[in-house]
Amino acid sequence: MDAQSRGRADDIDPADQWVLNPQTGNYELRLDHSAGESPVAARTATGADSGHRGDARIGSQRDGSASEDAGLRENTGRREGSGRREVPGQRSRRAGQDGGRGADASAAGGAGRRKRKAPKARRKKALMWTGGVTAFVVVAAGVGAYILYERFNGNISTIDIGDAGNKDVLSDGPMNILIIGTDKRTGKGNEGYGDKGSEGHADTNILFHVSEDRTNATALSIPRDLMTDIPDCETKQPDGSTKTIPGTPRVRFNVSLGQEGRNPGCTMQTVEAITGIKPDHFMMVDFNAVKELTTAVGGVKVCMAKPVDDPKSHLKLPAGESVVAGEDALALLRTRHSFGNESDLDRIKVQQQFLGSMIREMKSSDTLTNPTKLFKLADAATNALTVDQGIGSAKKLMTLAQEIGKVDTKNITFVTLPVIDNPAETVKATVVPHPTQAEQLFAMMRSDTSLTEVKQKEKAAKSAQAALLKGPKAAPADVRVDVLNGGEISGAAGATVTWLQNQQGVLKSTNKANAPEKIGKTTLEYAPNQADQARALAEMMGLPATAMKPGSSDAGELEAMVLTLGADFKGAGIPITGPAKAPEGIEKASADKAVCAK
């Protein structure tokens, strides 16, 4: 730092670097101290001890050029005894208040004043002044961001789920996040909810599927009373060891968490066994999280078709719109006796409507442009969430949130797993997947088919890809294909060849056993002169256009196409692609539309 005309550099008071910007009327940081200052100016302080700082009007009685010149003068003179300097522009007003000093300076014919610098020099100083302010702001913001990052990072709780999820924050294809609401009692005021002493259950469960192109998302609610088989699952113990929890057949879905030592990884594996969709990550919240998040966002707007007065949950809401937060929000999500037939399925509908409203509030301009609200929301969210280690930091969660945020609210669809009453029960207390609708819905999600009409980002490219399925198709007897198993089902290649030969007449199909590595999606590689064979096989197996991998050179007469079955293959004869639209009778709700709970 240059301390010319002001003494040693280490005598400089950092506070003296703050001067008045004549353009804004604010005190700001100036880092260039190379110029001198007049003795008159050296006798006058910044105004902090004079009571006049607030009403100093710099150059208010001058024309624009004079004011600009005054504002660009350097302020480097020292005040006797205090080490402070005058703010430019105050000297003319204060000189008169200092008695003869000001008069002496005027009589000297302006000797204490500096000459105007050339425009080039003035521009240079302006740039240095501006650069100093910018540097200060950047450094301050960096320090603030670091403190916030450390705070948010310290808020987050994580659970090691081993291989149950994805180690990376994002995946190249679709993303699947399992949201778990547990009924574990934690925190003051939650004694009336959940089971006393329980480790908690998977009480509310939503598989949030984000499409590969990030244009749409499907939120699939899984009823807690769904009867299913819970598979064996490995859990990490506090000492770092691994323990396998034996599976349990024909039990409620909600015991996939907490019971017998099961962690969220077990719930993720149960979801995969039911749907054929592997969750990449999980986010778990409890009762307190609902209270904190709804309060942080400023409340969630809900609508009731009729007044609600539930003595069990103590929920009281009028007909029409209300805003709920904290205890009221939790009571709304927990009550079963105020809506529909008082079942868990009707409660799921209310939860979906509530979440849709909360998403709208979080993505509203009132939230996104309000720093205080954003801070409260980020602080509450990181405090409330328990996640897997793949997203277990503030930076990773922010990356995931930004990716999900690409989806337009109108293209987020809520749907409940299609079910029927459990036929094994006389008293209907549980449900089982619908025999046809459930698998059709799962197939849509596995093939990344949207439940809403969306404009694809790469519509032209997708149309070109889809065109591969259009055109002449070879007769089954002329289709020659080698089948490899790159999926999870043992013996899939052999079973497929048997089905092709016996059911479809593809006699030139060959079982080539396991592929060199596992793949996520089924592919069909073929040469240009095999296109008619490829279309015929794609039609038989329900292959999507994206599975088609045409080569660049023609194949020999006896050369076969290569079909590699991926994780999306569910069995011989089961189409790889899902239906083009949701099965009839499935209720859907869009996150952008408010619906009154009945």
Side-chain angles (χ1 to χ4, degrees):
M1 182 182 293
D2 185 0
Q4 181 181 348
S5 303
R6 299 190 300 161
R8 293 171 59 242
D10 56 3
D11 288 333
I12 297 171
D13 183 352
D16 292 341
Q17 300 174 42
W18 290 88
V19 297
L20 188 70
N21 177 3
Q23 306 302 321
T24 65
N26 298 323
Y27 285 84
E28 298 175 348
L29 183 69
R30 179 178 294 178
L31 297 182
D32 180 23
H33 309 289
S34 59
E37 186 60 84
S38 70
V40 174
R43 294 200 303 253
T44 309
T46 61
D49 56 351
S50 69
H52 294 288
R53 172 178 290 192
D55 61 359
R57 292 180 293 275
I58 306 306
S60 60
Q61 299 174 356
R62 310 172 193 170
D63 61 27
S65 60
S67 175
E68 179 183 3
D69 182 50
L72 291 171
R73 294 177 185 140
E74 279 302 306
N75 179 33
T76 55
R78 310 260 328 156
R79 181 183 179 184
E80 299 172 3
S82 70
R84 297 191 180 187
R85 294 177 297 285
E86 176 191 50
V87 175
Q90 285 186 328
R91 66 183 68 139
S92 60
R93 186 161 61 95
R94 295 175 60 115
Q97 295 172 353
D98 284 345
R101 296 179 186 177
D104 292 344
S106 298
R113 296 183 181 180
R114 296 182 61 200
K115 295 180 180 180
R116 291 185 60 179
K117 288 194 177 280
K120 181 178 180 180
R122 188 161 68 238
R123 285 197 301 271
K124 180 179 179 182
K125 287 188 177 294
L127 288 172
M128 294 177 71
W129 175 76
T130 305
V133 174
T134 303
F136 179 83
V137 171
V138 168
V139 171
V143 172
Y146 175 77
I147 294 173
L148 286 178
Y149 175 79
E150 288 299 302
R151 173 177 178 140
F152 295 154
N153 225 30
N155 287 347
I156 302 169
S157 299
T158 63
I159 293 177
D160 186 350
I161 56 173
D163 296 329
N166 192 339
K167 302 298 182 184
D168 298 324
V169 179
L170 305 179
S171 57
D172 293 334
M175 291 192 306
N176 297 290
I177 302 155
L178 182 61
I179 302 169
I180 305 172
T182 175
D183 60 356
K184 182 178 181 179
R185 291 185 180 184
T186 58
K188 185 178 180 181
N190 298 322
E191 296 81 3
Y193 301 105
D195 296 332
K196 185 176 182 179
S198 170
E199 287 298 317
H201 303 77
D203 196 55
T204 299
N205 310 275
I206 297 175
L207 180 60
F208 196 76
H209 171 89
V210 183
S211 67
E212 181 174 2
D213 61 8
R214 310 303 190 239
T215 63
N216 63 89
T218 299
L220 174 69
S221 292
I222 302 174
R224 66 176 190 176
D225 294 328
L226 179 76
M227 293 298 287
T228 189
D229 297 334
I230 299 176
D232 296 349
C233 64
E234 291 186 348
T235 59
K236 292 288 185 179
Q237 302 301 301
D239 62 1
S241 63
T242 300
K243 179 182 178 181
T244 299
I245 309 296
T248 308
R250 309 309 297 166
V251 291
R252 279 180 167 87
F253 177 89
N254 68 346
V255 300
S256 64
L257 174 71
Q259 313 309 300
E260 302 183 29
R262 295 187 178 103
N263 65 19
C266 299
T267 308
M268 294 169 72
Q269 292 178 53
T270 304
V271 168
E272 183 179 4
I274 295 170
T275 65
I277 301 167
K278 181 176 181 178
D280 296 298
H281 304 289
F282 82 85
M283 295 181 180
M284 185 168 66
V285 295
D286 59 14
F287 295 150
N288 278 338
V290 173
K291 296 179 182 180
E292 292 168 6
L293 286 170
T294 53
T295 300
V297 80
V300 177
K301 186 181 292 185
V302 296
C303 181
M304 302 294 110
K306 59 182 180 180
V308 173
D309 187 356
D310 182 4
K312 293 188 176 182
S313 66
H314 307 294
L315 176 66
K316 290 186 178 182
L317 291 174
E321 289 189 347
S322 300
V323 175
V324 296
E327 192 68 40
D328 287 338
L330 178 59
L332 174 63
L333 295 179
R334 292 291 301 164
T335 185
R336 293 202 314 176
H337 303 287
S338 302
F339 310 106
N341 60 6
E342 303 186 15
S343 70
D344 186 50
L345 297 177
D346 285 296
R347 180 171 65 172
I348 286 175
K349 293 178 184 178
V350 175
Q351 291 172 346
Q352 291 174 346
Q353 293 161 10
F354 178 90
L355 289 174
S357 180
M358 191 168 184
I359 290 173
R360 293 194 297 273
E361 181 61 34
M362 286 181 173
K363 296 186 75 171
S364 70
S365 58
D366 288 344
T367 298
L368 297 179
T369 60
N370 187 327
T372 301
K373 201 170 185 179
L374 279 176
F375 168 79
K376 289 180 179 179
L377 184 57
D379 195 37
T382 50
N383 250 320
L385 291 174
T386 297
V387 300
D388 60 278
Q389 293 181 333
I391 52 174
S393 72
K395 182 178 180 180
K396 291 177 179 178
L397 278 175
M398 182 180 294
T399 299
L400 183 63
Q402 289 172 339
E403 194 74 2
I404 295 174
K406 296 176 182 179
V407 182
D408 193 313
T409 310
K410 68 181 180 182
N411 293 328
I412 300 176
T413 304
F414 289 96
V415 65
T416 303
L417 190 158
V419 296
I420 60 172
D421 288 333
N422 186 353
E425 294 177 336
T426 302
V427 177
K428 306 303 181 184
T430 62
V431 294
V432 296
H434 190 286
T436 58
Q437 292 181 348
E439 180 53 38
Q440 289 175 331
L441 183 58
F442 301 155
M444 286 189 71
M445 295 177 68
R446 289 195 298 263
S447 62
D448 203 21
T449 302
S450 173
L451 294 181
T452 59
E453 294 294 331
V454 297
K455 293 181 179 179
Q456 304 294 340
K457 292 181 179 179
E458 300 179 8
K459 187 175 181 180
K462 286 184 177 293
S463 296
Q465 184 73 13
L468 295 174
L469 297 176
K470 297 180 180 179
K473 298 179 180 64
D478 295 330
V479 174
R480 189 183 298 271
V481 62
D482 291 339
V483 183
L484 293 87
N485 184 13
E488 305 293 334
I489 301 175
S490 179
T496 298
V497 168
T498 300
W499 175 77
L500 285 171
Q501 293 179 349
N502 297 337
Q503 302 295 323
Q504 303 298 315
V506 183
L507 302 179
K508 298 174 184 176
S509 54
T510 306
N511 175 11
K512 292 294 184 178
N514 292 331
E517 60 183 4
K518 301 290 186 181
I519 61 173
K521 294 184 177 181
T522 298
T523 62
L524 176 61
E525 300 172 74
Y526 61 97
N529 61 338
Q530 295 173 324
D532 58 342
Q533 298 181 49
R535 295 187 194 105
L537 186 64
E539 185 176 62
M540 296 174 199
M541 298 194 60
L543 296 178
T546 52
M548 310 292 278
K549 306 296 179 185
S552 57
S553 58
D554 285 347
E557 184 178 353
L558 300 179
E559 189 173 345
M561 300 182 295
V562 178
L563 173 68
T564 306
L565 305 175
D568 56 353
F569 175 79
K570 299 306 170 186
I574 299 177
I576 300 295
T577 56
K581 60 181 182 179
E584 293 293 331
I586 290 183
E587 292 188 42
K588 299 182 294 182
S590 176
D592 72 324
K593 295 179 180 178
V595 179
C596 292
K598 298 179 181 179

